[in-house]
Amino acid sequence: MAKKTEIGMCMNIISTYQEAEKRAQTIRVAEVLESISDAFFLLDRNWRFTYLNKQAVILLYKKKDDLLNRSIWDEFPEALDSVFYEKYQKVIEQKTAQHFEEYFTPLNTWYEVHAYPAEEGIAVYFTNVNHRKKTEQKLKESEEQYRTLFETMPQGVIYYDSKGKIKEMNPAAEKILGRNILEIKSDAFKSEMKPTLNENMLPFPDSYDPIDIALTTCERIQNITMGIYNPKDKNYRWVVLSAIPQIKLGGDGPYQVYATLEDITNERKARNELFLTQNQLKSSEKNFRNLAETIPQLVWISDSTGEVQYFNKRWYDFTKVDESTISMKNWWEQLHPDDRQRAVEYWENSVETGQQYEIEYRIRNGETDEYCWFLARALPIASERGKITKWFGTCTNIDDHKKIIENEKFLSDASKILSSSLDFNTTLQKTADVAVSHIADWCSVDLKNGKHIDLVAVSHKDPEKINWARELRKNNPPRLDEDKGLAKVLKTGEIEYYPYISDELLEASAKDEEELRILREIGFYSVIIVPLQIQNKTIGAITLVSTESKRKFSNHDVLTAEELAKRASLAIQNSQLYEKAQLRESQFKALYNSNVIGVIYCDLNGKIYEANNAFLQMVGYSKKDLEKGLLDWNKITPPDYKEADENALSELMSLGYANTWEKEYIKSDGSQVPVIVGAAMLNKESTETIAFVLDITERRKLEQRKDEFIGIASHELKTPLTSIKGYTQILERIIHQMSDERAKIYLKKTNTYIDRLNSLIADLLDVSKIQAGKLQMNFSEFSVDDLVDDGIESIQHINSQHEISKTGVASERVLGDKHRLEQVFTNLLSNAIKYSPDANKIEVHISKNDSMITVSIKDYGVGIAEENLHKLFERFYRVEETAKTFSGLGIGLYISSEIVRRHGGDIWVESEHGNGSTFYFTLPIAKGN
Ligand code: ADP
């Protein structure tokens, strides 16, 4: 769009090179302003916004102009009744800083806010903490889930401290113990209490108390049957107790013991009744077996030596073992290899001691080949004389229950780990370790890294195997372009789930013999790969593999893995955000404390009341001088720069900020330092202002050398050129006598080029003169109409493509340097022709008012984009796009603007990209006309 560029705005523009630097500095200054915090704004005492940085505008979802100078309560009326109002009010009234987090419903956003009292109002720094809040919410939910489970579990759960004292327990445990936590801590039933009994109904000797054992050995204690006296029932409750000592990294022994108690009082009673029944039935085999066939458990019966004599049908159905081939001695072959020895040892011990047998182990499901958890119990059946004649054993399927509990526990453990640190590499490794201790034999976490897949964590209970896996991975890195497994998950963001991996499947997926060998070596049994996603973008995946445990991952495991991936993704996202925030903070601090940029706070009267070291060093003052009030903007500004300061000041007052300007300061030793300054008003009413100051001594020196070089070079070029011109004149005369037509043509061409060279050098000399303030003007009175007519005639004479028309007349005289103003007009006319190669007309128009004559030159050429208009009259500036097609130095408009300005006139352009340009210049009418 059309735009008027006033010559006055060009006053501070000294050179293109300077500008390039200046632009870079402006960006740096802006960066500091914008990086002071994530978002901040300033309010005056009437609650009006006086300053907002870019981030504040983004976080408040409004336009800057819609907020500036408006009251915050008018713009956000919903906040009037809120914590925001209450806290800001406090800042004003009590002059204290306030820090709070609050949800703002209309913007559906959680903000973390720091509000500080400012001299004339309040400064507010804030960030959007939706992500953190969501994480906290999720963690809270996960904690609640765990709590609910804890509260409602039918099993008793007790946490003991490192001294074996009860810290916490759930309602089921309270019921078993017959005491609540307060009663336990205050020893309420001390006088009534009776000792805890072991399986043989004898008190546990102290050193054998299962909790003590867990604490001293750090070993898990499993399935200990014990009787605990319940003072409310006034009787013993029988429980099966397991205890897991919990250890902290770097800790010294367990910091607590987690114990579960299953109440078996009723079963024990039933068993005793059954025991009696059996006696009464005198072990009638038939009835006994009938009973065994009807109960829903797997049942077996052995003789007194422990040799199994009978399995019920359910047992055969489950194991798919052929009844005719089974060796009763080898029943344990149906157990999971890891459980066999333990089961056999327990059994032999029971047979030997005649004590009840109770153990959890995994039995192979003959149909699916999967191992399922069972709770196995066996009761000795005694003859009338008390001699054990048989054993009656049951196996109850507890697989689902156990896995669900285990998965919940796993998720809860994983959540704790994921929220424990913001270093996600460590966290992910720990998460993989937890997965291995709970649900998988292998767990690995991979993250996408460009075209690669980085293995960031891998876990297995055997460290040797981890090394082997890492090595394997190094030698056979997966590729993102594969269409299976991990690569597929990373590509599609969808879960891959292989409940059972047969050898055929391995054969089908291996690309060669070697890969097949490796796959077989790993022994894949069941696999789940879940994607890690941040904002619907897949960033990696978690792989869970079951191998030697032969755990066949269930749908419930897939859900658990999915939930784990969600929580891990959130943790990764959080740590990334945290890292970013840390980085920004340190960047800001580095800038603020850097020796590069001076930062000062001052008022509009020039009183500087705060300055960083960079500024003090620049002007050679100390902190003490500052405290004594010796630093005053006006006092350290030399008279030559007062005008530039005043321009900046008026800009500051009208816009709230001042574009960068160059000036000098008087240092404490009396010398001067050149600087570039940018300023912004922090508070309009108090006129508190922040300014950023950059020392440009080195740049100034460089520019001076450059200017000197241009001056010398153009002088040195001009002298030989004058001689060449002289010799061509002599040649002209000689050739004229020779009447050689070809030589005449060549000489004419030579002259044209010499003229062009001459004018280029003359322009460069002008630039150098302007820089040195030595551009001479010879003033006289002349007619503007004549100047325009002569200019058109001379240009039209050498250009036939464009027809130059003229409208309007001045009929006025001006006082000026005619030669220089001709230079301006012909320069604008030549540009109009040069930059409209496809057009054929130029329109010149003259108009006037009481005091000024305006000349405009309109072309129908390439035009100028709006963003380039304001730089057009700068030294050496050329529009990048057109510079490729048209040659030039970018100084014509600079010289023209300088000449017009020296005449007290103005020069500007109106243009649109692709739609031609109109250049205008004005000259004051000579007085006395
Ligand atoms: P030069 O023409 O030698 O590059 P000038 O100082 O005369 O230098 O012009 C500066 C720049 O302004 C040019 O490079 C060109 O990009 C742009 N310009 C000047 N006049 C016109 C015009 N009439 N139409 C389009 N662009 C123009």
Side-chain angles (χ1 to χ4, degrees), residues 62-241:
K62 291 221 183 192
K63 284 196 196 132
K64 191 174 194 159
D65 289 345
D66 293 347
L67 292 173
L68 275 178
N69 296 324
R70 304 259 176 87
S71 156
I72 186 170
W73 311 126
D74 290 345
E75 294 310 309
F76 300 98
E78 301 87 347
L80 257 176
D81 249 359
S82 72
V83 172
F84 291 95
Y85 182 80
E86 180 197 321
K87 295 280 183 186
Y88 292 173
Q89 193 73 30
K90 245 191 202 162
V91 174
I92 299 276
E93 281 168 7
Q94 303 176 357
K95 290 246 170 277
T96 51
Q98 297 287 330
H99 174 202
F100 61 97
E101 282 178 10
E102 183 59 21
Y103 182 70
F104 188 52
T105 324
L107 299 184
N108 187 21
T109 304
W110 273 97
Y111 293 107
E112 181 181 357
V113 184
H114 292 263
Y116 303 98
E119 204 166 303
E120 285 302 321
I122 166 166
V124 179
Y125 156 88
F126 65 105
T127 45
N128 173 328
V129 291
N130 277 353
H131 273 305
R132 179 154 58 71
K133 282 287 171 190
K134 271 193 200 143
T135 316
E136 282 171 9
Q137 185 64 27
K138 284 250 170 198
L139 286 177
K140 216 172 119 212
E141 278 168 17
S142 137
E143 174 68 14
E144 272 167 10
Q145 272 173 13
Y146 173 71
R147 272 283 136 205
T148 317
L149 191 70
F150 180 76
E151 300 288 340
T152 56
M153 258 167 87
Q155 283 89 349
V157 175
I158 303 181
Y159 286 96
Y160 293 89
D161 68 12
S162 59
K163 300 208 168 58
K165 292 234 171 323
I166 294 178
K167 287 204 294 194
E168 197 186 350
M169 58 185 181
N170 68 352
E174 280 180 11
K175 209 165 145 207
I176 293 169
L177 300 191
R179 291 169 294 162
N180 64 27
I181 190 82
L182 289 175
E183 288 164 339
I184 287 177
K185 285 195 172 155
S186 63
D187 255 347
F189 296 96
K190 196 171 179 189
S191 54
E192 298 163 44
M193 283 310 290
K194 295 191 178 166
T196 307
L197 303 181
N198 68 12
E199 176 74 342
N200 298 332
M201 308 281 281
L202 297 171
F204 269 108
D206 277 352
S207 54
Y208 289 106
D209 181 276
I211 303 302
D212 281 344
I213 294 173
L215 277 168
T216 41
T217 62
C218 289
E219 292 285 340
R220 284 165 173 238
I221 304 294
Q222 274 186 326
N223 306 319
I224 299 290
T225 303
M226 57 198 276
I228 301 173
Y229 186 73
N230 183 315
K232 293 206 177 120
D233 290 357
K234 304 215 179 306
N235 208 337
Y236 275 89
R237 285 260 184 153
W238 285 90
V239 298
V240 175
L241 176 134

Side-chain angles (χ1 to χ4, degrees), residues 268-333:
R268 225 176 128 91
K269 224 166 112 197
R271 189 192 68 176
N272 289 343
E273 278 161 13
L274 183 69
F275 183 69
L276 287 173
T277 319
Q278 298 312 315
N279 272 343
Q280 280 159 9
L281 288 171
K282 298 212 171 5
S283 308
S284 155
E285 193 70 20
K286 198 165 167 261
N287 288 338
F288 203 27
R289 289 194 181 191
N290 277 344
L291 177 73
E293 291 300 337
T294 52
I295 63 173
Q297 283 99 331
L298 314 186
V299 176
W300 47 269
I301 299 165
S302 81
D303 66 12
S304 61
T305 67
E307 191 172 317
V308 179
Q309 296 168 325
Y310 161 82
F311 289 107
N312 70 350
K313 186 165 177 302
R314 275 180 216 281
W315 194 90
Y316 290 108
D317 285 349
F318 185 80
T319 57
K320 290 280 178 280
V321 170
D322 188 345
E323 203 172 338
S324 58
T325 59
I326 179 149
S327 151
M328 293 299 182
K329 278 186 185 150
N330 294 345
W331 55 269
W332 45 265
E333 280 175 1

Side-chain angles (χ1 to χ4, degrees), residues 827-828 831-832 834-835 859 861-864 872 874 877-880 882-883 886-894 911 916-917 919:
N827 178 31
L828 296 179
N831 275 354
K834 180 160 124 189
Y835 294 105
D859 68 54
V862 294
I864 303 148
L872 225 55
E874 289 173 11
Y877 181 77
R878 311 199 66 222
V879 175
E880 218 176 304
T882 44
F886 305 98
S887 67
L889 291 180
I891 51 181
L893 290 181
Y894 169 66
S911 180
S917 319
F919 282 80

